[in-house]
DNA sequence: ATCATGTGTATAGCGTAACGTTACACGCTA
DNA sequence: TAGCGTGTAACGTTACGCTATACACATGAT
């Protein structure tokens, strides 16, 4: 339950990996638009499954790791917004 | 790298958790439409972050676990579709 | 000062996807 | 037959990732 502590958006982390290369160049290597990568780096867009695979290939990271980071971030954000009331679904509740 | 082996869509897994309760009743407890839950159970829709939180509350599971399952499934599907060519981004490539 | 380059960002358009609403069809059972 | 549970199609809404285009700003070289 003490899973994550305010994770940064993956774009921040990605920025460190792209330290010595320009956004324009990195985008070209990834096969995406400069705008698309810029939006990720600045948190205006998340990392899609497709983008994850491009990153894992270009940066030689484990496939799914970037998207997993994104998922954690998305869940974190969703928790803050979540207000819905939910009724329990348990064997007890089912039996009753 | 030998991470996952053809994961089932989370709806399949979820179905087992809702064994003794009707779809209509479960949907009502979750606070979503019967149609929405049915789509998830039949693989016509994925588990969104919002749906994950509803499930984790109702079923008393760890928040994020259902969405993580969905993410794995999505990555798996993305890998099969992925065909894009990507240029490496490494210190060597950066320096060159 | 002028120009090229890198960058951030706004806009519009496209495709995908989750969700609610409504409605129809099928199967089962009282 | 009537009622319930279920699957699903159609439609509109909303959100989001991506491309293409364009504008503005900063920096460095000519």
């Amino acid at each position: 339950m003490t899973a994550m502590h305010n994770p940064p958006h993956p774009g921040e982390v990605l920025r460190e990996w792209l330290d010595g290369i320009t956004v324009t160049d990195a985008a070209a290597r990834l096969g995406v638009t400069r705008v698309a990568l810029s939006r990720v780096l600045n948190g205006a867009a998340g990392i899609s499954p497709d983008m994850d695979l491009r990153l894992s290939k270009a940066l030689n990271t484990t496939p799914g790791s970037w998207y997993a980071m994104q998922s954690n971030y998305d869940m974190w954000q969703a928790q803050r917004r979540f207000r819905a009331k939910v009724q329990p679904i348990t064997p007890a509740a089912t039996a009753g």
Side-chain angles (χ1 to χ4, degrees), chain A:
Chain A
M1 292 307 209
T2 59
M4 13 177 168
H5 298 283
N6 201 339
H9 66 264
E12 258 181 83
V13 182
L14 178 57
R15 193 156 226 136
E16 304 172 10
W17 284 72
L18 304 181
D19 194 30
I21 187 175
T22 66
V23 176
T24 302
D25 192 9
R29 291 175 187 274
L30 291 171
V32 298
T33 305
R34 172 180 77 85
V35 179
L37 180 57
S38 175
R39 287 170 57 84
V40 171
L41 291 175
N42 292 283
I47 294 182
S48 63
D50 182 82
M51 185 67 80
D52 172 285
L53 293 175
R54 291 175 189 272
L55 292 174
S56 63
K57 285 215 170 195
L59 300 174
N60 197 32
T61 53
T62 304
S65 60
W66 290 101
Y67 189 55
M69 205 183 309
Q70 183 67 48
S71 298
N72 285 336
Y73 182 76
D74 290 344
M75 279 305 306
W76 184 265
Q77 299 302 325
Q79 293 226 30
R80 334 212 82 179
R81 280 191 289 275
F82 194 74
R83 290 286 181 277
K85 287 185 180 177
V86 174
Q87 302 300 321
I89 301 179
T90 62
T94 304

